Amino acid sequence: MSALFEPRTLRSLTIPNRVWMAPMCQYSADATGPDTGAANDWHFAHYAARAAGGTGLILLEATAVSPEGRISPYDLGLWNDTQVESLRRITAFLKAQGTTPSVQLAHAGRKASSDRPWQGGAPIGADAHGWQPLAPSAVPFDEGHPVPTELTPEDIGRITGEFAAAARRALAAGFEVVEVHGAHGYLIGEFLSPHSNHRTDAYGGSFENRTRFALEVVDAVRQVWPDDLPLFFRISATDWLEGRPGWTADDTVRFAALLRQHGVDLLDVSSGGNAPRVDIPVGPGYQVPFAARVRAETGMPVAAVGLITEAEQAEKIVANGEADAVLLGRELLRNPSWAQQAARRLGGEVHVPEPYHRMV
């Protein structure tokens, strides 16, 4: 049997295969009004297509725990009950296709209040529904970006509570996995890295202090998330800042062991995003070695992501024990039925909706 199409059990949850969809923002929610941050027909069609295509687990895009935690005004959120109701239609359909509905909980930190990528992605102000970003330190992401407001310890405690509240709403919305977003230079990742965290209090300086906020968020989420359901954490394995202060692969391995002790069940291993204009050696599977190292050195289950496009490539990653699952991003945008096609190539079995049985 194909390793890629074997089920994977985490806690009490069995995920039908190892082809998972990476979280990718759609920037398609309403920016204002009563439906701000709520899922709409675009989100339903987008995720439903990948579930019908056999994807074993779908991680919904970065979903903000508060209005100021959005990357853009058009992001999904989970800070009110209207948003919960809008997501139930999606989770119900995903479950009906045998897909595990999952959601990434996020706070954008200093990279918040940005325009849609296809409109340039630049920081925006109040005239375009923008707001003042928050961060561990008053250090802008890049030239031309606003200086963020440095969070107080009270602010940090409030945001920790917002993650927990969003996790409760995620459960009410029908999700079976939550992922804490600690990657790509958003708020939690900003705390982790000395590149963006210049604090001198209990949340800055040493490794223990810089990881404190992330672990407090994990603890708060794990406390409200059911014991029988898994919790994921997404990490940027490195800032790619060779020779300069930043988060490193060694830090990731050390931190993964801590996350496991705090109840995280799987590490979703990406990289970069915390510093502009860095040299990243992009190529097929370029981030897989980071995931493989975490798995080998800590025993933590991992998912690998990054230019995984071919069925045989994905099969090798899982079969060789480099990762427990692969997360496909752009490839699933191009081909919603990637999992079904890969199963035919590899001799695996995957769910096919009854109306599609004629294609098998």
Side-chain angles (χ1 to χ4, degrees):
M1 181 178 179
S2 163
L4 194 61
F5 292 95
E6 291 180 359
R8 180 63 165 92
T9 298
L10 295 167
R11 299 200 180 223
S12 70
L13 182 69
T14 298
I15 303 161
N17 62 55
R18 316 299 183 93
V19 180
W20 300 355
M21 182 176 176
M24 293 173 284
C25 289
Q26 297 298 292
Y27 305 103
S28 296
D30 286 348
T32 60
D35 291 329
T36 298
N40 54 38
D41 285 350
W42 173 262
H43 300 95
F44 179 83
H46 172 64
Y47 293 114
R50 279 78 198 168
T55 307
L57 176 146
I58 289 179
L59 264 167
L60 263 66
E61 61 204 81
T63 300
V65 300
S66 66
E68 65 269 18
R70 293 171 293 171
I71 302 167
S72 84
Y74 308 97
D75 288 11
L76 292 182
L78 262 174
W79 66 81
N80 66 43
D81 292 341
T82 298
Q83 295 157 351
V84 171
E85 288 298 325
S86 74
L87 291 162
R88 283 179 175 150
R89 180 185 176 209
I90 294 174
T91 60
F93 185 87
L94 267 55
K95 289 176 183 177
Q97 305 309 309
T99 298
T100 301
S102 312
V103 64
Q104 183 185 73
L105 303 180
H107 192 298
R110 67 179 182 171
K111 295 173 77 173
S113 191
S114 299
D115 209 346
R116 289 163 159 153
W118 57 87
Q119 294 172 330
I124 56 175
D127 58 336
H129 313 302
W131 59 93
Q132 172 63 17
L134 307 172
S137 303
V139 179
F141 173 68
D142 196 5
E143 297 175 3
H145 285 242
V147 177
T149 298
E150 183 170 310
L151 292 165
T152 67
E154 292 74 22
D155 293 329
I156 292 170
R158 171 178 53 80
I159 293 171
T160 300
E162 289 170 347
F163 271 93
R168 288 192 191 96
R169 291 193 178 95
L171 184 65
F175 290 103
E176 296 177 312
V177 175
V178 290
E179 175 174 271
V180 173
H181 196 354
H184 300 160
Y186 298 121
L187 185 64
I188 293 176
E190 292 164 17
F191 270 92
L192 294 176
S193 174
H195 173 74
S196 44
N197 184 346
H198 299 178
R199 300 176 73 97
T200 58
D201 64 1
Y203 291 94
S206 66
F207 176 89
E208 290 77 12
N209 284 359
R210 286 183 284 108
T211 59
R212 188 182 308 277
F213 174 55
L215 293 176
E216 288 178 351
V217 169
V218 165
D219 288 345
V221 171
R222 187 74 267 180
Q223 186 174 4
V224 303
W225 193 244
D227 287 341
D228 62 339
L229 292 179
L231 171 63
F232 294 0
F233 190 99
R234 178 165 251 201
I235 190 82
S236 279
T238 175
D239 286 340
W240 298 105
L241 290 170
E242 300 300 326
R244 291 181 284 167
W247 185 260
T248 69
D250 289 342
D251 292 328
T252 293
V253 172
R254 183 180 177 187
F255 186 47
L258 287 174
L259 289 171
R260 197 174 192 196
Q261 293 171 17
H262 284 255
V264 172
D265 300 288
L266 180 138
L267 195 66
D268 169 0
V269 186
S270 187
S271 72
N274 197 36
R277 297 181 300 280
V278 294
D279 186 19
I280 301 177
V282 176
Y286 70 104
Q287 294 172 148
V288 174
F290 296 123
R293 182 182 169 192
V294 169
R295 193 174 191 268
E297 295 186 25
T298 71
M300 165 79 91
V302 298
V305 63
L307 287 183
I308 299 169
T309 59
E310 302 298 327
E312 292 79 8
Q313 175 195 19
E315 173 75 11
K316 181 179 178 182
I317 290 167
V318 175
N320 289 354
E322 296 173 278
D324 296 85
V326 293
L327 281 159
L328 304 186
R330 291 176 178 86
E331 191 61 22
L332 274 174
L333 295 184
R334 289 186 283 264
N335 182 2
S337 298
W338 191 95
Q340 290 169 355
Q341 294 169 12
R344 289 199 295 273
R345 288 178 63 93
L346 299 172
E349 294 184 3
V350 69
H351 171 76
V352 178
E354 289 182 355
Y356 289 178
H357 277 192
R358 72 194 71 184
M359 79 177 192
V360 177

